[in-house]
Structure formats: structure tokens, C-alpha cells
Amino acid sequence: MPEAPRRVTITDVARTAGVSLSTVSRVMNGNATVDPVLAERVRGVAAELGYSASPLARSLVLGRTSTVAVVIPDLANPTFQGILRGLSRAAAADGFHVLIADSAEQVDEERVLAVETRRRTDGVILCAPRMAQDELAVLLPSLSPVVVVNRAPQAGVPVVNADYRTALRGLAEHLYDLGHRRIVFLAGVARSASNAARLAAIADARAAHSDLTVIELPSGVDFNSGAAAADAVIKTGATAVLAFNDLVAMGLMSTLAGRGVRVPEHVSVAGFDDIPFAAYTSPPLTTAAVPAADLGAQAWAAMHALLTGQTPSPIVTTNPEVVVRGSTAAAAS
Amino acid sequence: MPEAPRRVTITDVARTAGVSLSTVSRVMNGNATVDPVLAERVRGVAAELGYSASPLARSLVLGRTSTVAVVIPDLANPTFQGILRGLSRAAAADGFHVLIADSAEQVDEERVLAVETRRRTDGVILCAPRMAQDELAVLLPSLSPVVVVNRAPQAGVPVVNADYRTALRGLAEHLYDLGHRRIVFLAGVARSASNAARLAAIADARAAHSDLTVIELPSGVDFNSGAAAADAVIKTGATAVLAFNDLVAMGLMSTLAGRGVRVPEHVSVAGFDDIPFAAYTSPPLTTAAVPAADLGAQAWAAMHALLTGQTPSPIVTTNPEVVVRGSTAAAAS
DNA sequence: CTGTTAGCGCCTTCAC
DNA sequence: GTGAAGGCGCTAACAG
């Protein structure tokens, strides 16, 4: 290992500038009134020595790290990637750093990660769609300040989410308007919050249209789940499919193509999320656009408010818009 | 703000256990030999009080944070997402945390971010494909320990990269074998390291086949760049295209479709990277598979070696494999 | 084996 | 306006 040249410390600056530590500290923080001449000299020495205060030491004494943690279930999921990106950039704009924790879909790991990363940061933004509500409720207080993403409102904790229920309802309506009366819903993970919202939307659609049949098929949240569901979908004889998300829709379309089933001629397919690639599938995917990066930015805004003693709105909900593309068309008569 | 219940400190544990700070410290770190009975008592009290040492204080005194920084140019780029994911999981497996810094393609920002995040971590993994080599050379020493991703070998700094040159050469060969003699290369960002490697591959191909014409067209690294290049591509009359990466290829194919140009019947298109969606375009994209997550894991391995006083190999190069899918076919005669 | 004493690098009352 | 001293929470010699 190359000899590490010991970091220049505040003591070095003080000594070579011929002043006390306190003075240097004051100058560096623009704090109290310091003699302008002296201040300038100190600044000069600091610059010359390439000094800047140790974030670690500052964090310890100030009790804040200028860092927040983001806990997400899967870095491979485009939606969480978007959230992370929006969050990261917004936080950076406010001079904050982001510690990232990927639970790799291990629900029980989420709790540990959240608690542990919280200790090295000033707060945590939690994306834990699969965690049970009661478990979440006991976890949150120990994480404060904390912001929750894509869950139902929580007592005393800001929530940033998208209205999956209304959006999926919109998608269902879109299919209904196209004449589809027999639709498959490819469900995601049973216990997840966003799946519950979607099921509510399905219920809404059924209630609104007595001539509409919606068949729920268990699936998942990724390509493979969609691909695996293809045969079951075909067997239902449905003319349209509401996939849990774009990934599932893409997997489904892929296998459908292999089976000689054409989209949208034989069956219409709608995704959800409008991930960056949804516009580039063939046919381009009809979906509901969840502004993931915006969600991330909003989550940061809430956290920033919490961190600066302000009161963020307890819940920020964005409304995903239905984006009609080529994968949905009028039902064959 | 709810009253924050002051964190329980080592002093609390020591007091209620009736021992000294050092003893508690020793027990918590499994350090020296402590009387088993005493140790058990301390552990009991610690558990009861929910104590765990402050990472901040430990970091300050130990001089290490168990955290590394990852600097990447764009969190929206699937390749960097893959690298980050692989890195993050590998680091987590070794008990390390990851601080993430997205320079949002601002090359001058990269230097600042790297230096700043380095100060709060034990080392940085740098993905800076666009940074000038001389600038990189002066930056790296101040970052040590540091690992560089996807750049040419650096003096004294471990590099983890993919062999773009050989892989692109393989793609070119694939097209040549299919009978293509007039090929367009859609170049990326001029000053980028990976673009230079690709140009070398193009030169190799030309040298190997005197009857091969490769036309370089300036493009970019994303969808839009590919889409924007479509007309220029058509104008060349080439029968095949080597896109800078999958994103460019997808953008190109999208616009080509709009122009009534069919892939691969009229023109073959090859991408690069094999991002998760490459297999799901229509037609599925022929490309070279860069194992991004593996690169990330390798980068972590190198960093981990550095951090534990070992000597990582100065350069780890992986060889992207050519993946032939539906977007390339025999040249029309 | 255990307690006491120094710091890690910095900020902040408190006196001058 | 400036310096001296205490402490953030913890670990690592150093004595006993």
C-alpha cells in the first residue's frame, strides 16, 4: 500500500495560520464575527493546505450526517431505479448524499437494512411494498425521520405514492370502451400493497359494469411471471389482459408471440408503470405512466422538510395517466 | 417534531452493568478475553437496552466507515444500473454500505463528487467513461483506494472492464459472415473510452476484410440518438448497422419501422450490452452481452482486496459474448 | 482480566 | 473578536 499522506486537519491550519482551532472553525463555517483580515488569512492557509473539515468528525459532533438512506426491494426493477434516480438527484441538489440498500426482495432483510442504515444517516426513505402493515407500523417509529413510498397512508409518517387503483381502473375502462368484456388480470405478489390497490380497482370495474368478467390469474412482477402465465391466459379465452406491470406484460407478449397469438389482433395487453422500454416493445405497450423519478423527488422533498423542521404534507399522491399505444385495440367480434 | 429519545450509549450500558466502558467495548467487539460471566451480563444489558455502537463514533476512531462510494455518470443507463446492482449486493455480502453519486453526465461534476464522497467513505469505485485520461490520472491518486470501471489500464489502480474491442469485432464478423459488406457504425460520445475501443474494433475489421466498407456516423448513447440517426443510416445504403449500444439500436429500429424499413429484411441491426430488454424488442436484438452486474461484483472484489491489504489483480477483463437474435440476418442480395 | 487515560477531528459554550 | 476547555461516542494502549 502506498504511504497515505495523513489528512490535513483543522489543527494544521490553525498552527500554520497562527490562530486557535476555534477561529479556524468559525471561519470555515462562516459562523461568528471574525476579523476580516484574520479570516482571509485563515481561508488562504486552508486553501493552500487543501483543508476541508472531516465529514465524520462533523457528523459526530453535529449529530447529522447530510446523508439519507434509501431502502428498496430490487435494484433491477425499473420503477425503483426511477425512484432512486429522482431521489438521488433531488437530494444531491440539496447537498445531501444517498446511501443505498437493496434488500434483494428479502422482506425480512428490509427491516434490518432500514434500522442499520438509519444509524449512519439522518433518515430513511423506505420502499417496502411487501412488508406487512403491522410490521411496518412497529418499524416506522424507530426509523424517524422516515418517508414511505407507495404504501397506504401511515400514522405520523409522510407517504408518497401513486394512485394505482384509479389508474388501473382507467386502464380497465379503456379496455371496456374497446368492447372487451372478458378480461384477465395478472396479479402480482399477493401480500403487496400495490397489488391490493389493483384488486380494488378490479372490484370497482366489476361493480361498474355488470357485463364485464374479470378473471384473476396469479402471476408475479417480472418478465418470467408474465411469460409463464401465457398459456393460462390463452385458456381463459379472454380478449384482453391487464398485466400487473410492464415487465409482466412484456413477458406475456413475448410468449404469446411464440404461441402464434397476435397482439392486439387476438388479444389486447396493457401493462403498468410505463417503464422506459414500454414505448419500444412491439407493439408498443399501452400502460399507465407512473412518474417514478418524480415520486423519488417528492419523497426527497418530504424528507428534506422533515430534516429542516418543517411539516411535509402527510401524503402526496400522483395520478398515473393512461397511455394508449399499440398493444390494445377493439375486441374482435 | 416528536421528542427523540436519546440514543442509548456505551456509557449507559457500562453504568447499568456496573463495569467500565472498555469492558463493554471489548465485549461488543469480541475483542480481548473477558470473563465469560461478566461478558454475558454485559451482553444481557446491551440487549435489554437495545444498545449498538454508534457507527459514526466508531468510524471516527477506527478510521474506517465500512462504506464505499460509487460514482456513475447516469443512473438511467441500464449498464450502470447493472454495475451498481452487482456492486451493491457484493458489498452488502461483505458487510459494507454503498454511497451512490450520480453525476448526471456532468463530466466536471464527477471529479468533485468523487473527491467529496471519498471523504465519507473508505474508497471509491469510479465509472467515468468520458473523463479525459490526463485528468483521470491526476484525480486517481487523491482517491486511493480506488477502482476504475470500464477504462484502459491505469498505473497503480485496479481496473475492471469489458473487452469492447474484441466483442464489437465479433459482432462485425457476424455481420460479415452474413454477407454484409457495407456497414454503418453508429458512434457514441467522441471522447469516451469505450467509444475509442469500439473504433479500434472497426479498424480491426477493416484491416481484416478489404472488401468491407464501414461508415462511421456520429450518434450518441441513448434512444434519441439512435432514432435521430435513422435517416442518415438509410441514406448510406448500408445493409447493416452496428449501434453504439442497445439503446441506440432500439431507437434506430423504432424510427426505421416508422420509415417502413424492415429489420432484418432490409437492414440488419446489432446493439451492444445486452440490457435486460434487448431480448424483448421486435425483432429481438442481436448484441454483445456485457455482464454488468458481474462487472460491479468484480469491482467490489477489487475494492475489498484493497481494503483488506491484499493486492487485487491490476486488471480484470471480461469478454462480452455475441448473442445472435432476430435483428440480424443474411444481407439481401 | 479489568479499569483509567488518551485521543479520533471537530464544534461550541464559556471566559477573556 | 479570540482562545481554552469540554465533549460528541467510541476504541486502544497503558497500567494494575
Side-chain angles (χ1 to χ4, degrees):
Chain A
M1 279 224 217
E3 197 60 39
R6 196 175 54 68
R7 284 303 292 181
V8 23
T9 149
I10 194 174
T11 309
D12 302 326
V13 179
R15 184 152 25 73
T16 76
V19 297
S20 77
L21 302 186
S22 340
T23 300
V24 177
S25 175
R26 287 196 262 260
V27 172
M28 299 310 288
N29 296 306
N31 253 3
T33 51
V34 178
D35 182 79
V37 188
L38 229 185
E40 195 46 49
R41 171 147 53 102
V42 170
R43 256 187 290 273
V45 173
E48 190 176 349
L49 267 47
Y51 168 78
S52 77
S54 155
L56 246 54
R58 299 196 85 226
S59 294
L60 184 59
V61 65
L62 292 178
R64 51 188 162 78
T65 61
S66 295
T67 302
V68 293
V70 177
V71 178
I72 61 178
D74 185 10
L75 261 179
N77 185 313
T79 297
F80 297 121
Q81 290 167 352
I83 291 173
L84 175 61
R85 178 161 40 91
L87 178 24
S88 158
R89 293 188 179 173
D94 286 329
F96 272 72
H97 298 257
V98 173
L99 199 64
I100 192 249
D102 175 2
S103 67
E105 298 278 10
Q106 308 292 308
V107 183
D108 43 339
E109 193 70 354
E110 282 169 355
R111 195 177 44 74
V112 180
L113 282 178
V115 170
E116 195 177 334
T117 57
R118 171 61 181 90
R119 298 220 58 201
R120 354 187 119 244
T121 59
D122 298 342
V124 10
I125 290 88
L126 185 63
C127 304
R130 321 252 283 254
M131 188 179 289
Q133 171 58 36
D134 52 355
E135 187 179 356
L136 186 64
V138 348
L139 175 61
L140 291 183
S142 76
L143 259 31
S144 179
V146 57
V147 172
V148 170
V149 177
N150 269 354
R151 303 265 324 201
Q154 303 289 323
V157 171
V159 171
V160 173
N161 64 15
D163 186 349
Y164 290 96
R165 180 173 180 170
T166 301
L168 185 59
R169 178 64 208 290
L171 240 21
E173 211 57 30
H174 163 65
L175 292 177
Y176 187 87
D177 290 346
L178 286 172
H180 296 279
R181 294 295 179 270
R182 190 172 174 77
I183 298 176
V184 165
F185 170 58
L186 252 25
V189 177
R191 307 182 319 162
S192 91
S194 58
N195 194 57
R198 286 171 169 88
L199 288 177
I202 297 300
D204 292 345
R206 281 174 175 144
H209 305 291
S210 57
D211 59 339
L212 175 66
T213 302
V214 182
I215 303 150
E216 291 174 31
L217 250 37
S219 181
V221 300
D222 54 17
F223 276 130
N224 296 336
S225 308
D231 290 324
V233 167
I234 293 172
K235 196 173 301 177
T236 64
T239 62
V241 179
L242 288 170
F244 180 79
N245 63 22
D246 292 343
L247 261 25
V248 171
M250 290 168 73
L252 172 68
M253 292 204 300
S254 175
T255 300
L256 247 27
R259 299 283 189 280
V261 177
R262 304 191 52 173
V263 174
E265 291 80 359
H266 299 153
V267 54
S268 285
V269 174
F272 206 106
D273 286 346
D274 194 25
I275 63 177
F277 295 86
Y280 293 88
T281 55
S282 169
L285 198 58
T286 290
T287 188
V290 175
D294 273 5
L295 284 184
Q298 298 278 14
W300 167 249
M303 177 54 72
H304 194 46
L306 248 26
L307 256 21
T308 53
Q310 303 170 53
T311 306
S313 56
I315 178 151
V316 177
T317 300
T318 78
N319 239 294
E321 254 181 70
V322 170
V323 179
V324 177
R325 299 206 182 93
S327 67
T328 51
S333 49
Chain B
M1 276 223 221
E3 199 59 38
R6 195 176 55 66
R7 285 302 292 181
V8 24
T9 150
I10 194 174
T11 307
D12 302 327
V13 179
R15 184 155 22 76
T16 76
V19 297
S20 75
L21 302 184
S22 348
T23 300
V24 178
S25 176
R26 287 195 264 261
V27 172
M28 299 310 287
N29 297 303
N31 253 3
T33 48
V34 178
D35 181 81
V37 187
L38 231 187
E40 196 44 49
R41 172 147 52 102
V42 170
R43 256 187 292 274
V45 173
E48 190 176 350
L49 266 46
Y51 168 77
S52 78
S54 154
L56 245 54
R58 299 196 83 227
S59 295
L60 184 59
V61 66
L62 293 178
R64 50 188 164 78
T65 61
S66 296
T67 303
V68 293
V70 178
V71 177
I72 62 177
D74 185 10
L75 261 177
N77 185 313
T79 298
F80 297 121
Q81 290 167 352
I83 291 174
L84 175 61
R85 177 162 42 93
L87 179 20
S88 159
R89 294 187 179 174
D94 285 328
F96 273 72
H97 297 257
V98 173
L99 199 63
I100 193 247
D102 176 3
S103 68
E105 298 279 10
Q106 309 292 308
V107 183
D108 44 337
E109 194 70 354
E110 281 168 355
R111 195 178 43 73
V112 179
L113 281 177
V115 171
E116 194 177 334
T117 56
R118 171 63 182 87
R119 298 220 56 203
R120 352 187 120 245
T121 59
D122 298 341
V124 9
I125 290 89
L126 185 63
C127 303
R130 321 254 284 256
M131 187 179 290
Q133 172 58 37
D134 53 355
E135 187 179 355
L136 186 65
V138 347
L139 175 61
L140 289 183
S142 75
L143 258 32
S144 179
V146 57
V147 172
V148 170
V149 177
N150 268 355
R151 303 263 327 199
Q154 305 288 326
V157 171
V159 171
V160 172
N161 64 15
D163 186 348
Y164 290 95
R165 180 173 180 167
T166 301
L168 185 59
R169 178 64 207 290
L171 240 21
E173 210 58 29
H174 164 65
L175 293 177
Y176 187 88
D177 290 345
L178 286 173
H180 296 280
R181 293 298 179 268
R182 190 172 175 78
I183 298 177
V184 165
F185 170 59
L186 253 24
V189 177
R191 307 182 318 166
S192 90
S194 58
N195 195 57
R198 286 170 170 88
L199 289 177
I202 298 299
D204 292 346
R206 282 175 175 143
H209 305 292
S210 55
D211 60 339
L212 174 65
T213 302
V214 181
I215 303 152
E216 290 173 32
L217 250 37
S219 182
V221 301
D222 53 16
F223 277 131
N224 296 335
S225 309
D231 290 324
V233 166
I234 293 172
K235 197 173 300 177
T236 64
T239 62
V241 179
L242 289 170
F244 180 80
N245 63 22
D246 293 343
L247 260 26
V248 172
M250 289 168 75
L252 172 67
M253 292 203 300
S254 175
T255 300
L256 247 29
R259 299 281 188 279
V261 177
R262 303 189 52 172
V263 174
E265 291 81 0
H266 300 152
V267 54
S268 285
V269 174
F272 206 106
D273 285 346
D274 194 26
I275 62 178
F277 296 85
Y280 293 87
T281 56
S282 165
L285 198 58
T286 290
T287 189
V290 175
D294 273 4
L295 284 184
Q298 297 278 14
W300 167 250
M303 176 55 71
H304 194 46
L306 247 26
L307 256 21
T308 53
Q310 303 169 52
T311 306
S313 57
I315 177 150
V316 176
T317 299
T318 77
N319 240 292
E321 254 181 71
V322 170
V323 180
V324 177
R325 299 205 180 94
S327 67
T328 52
S333 50

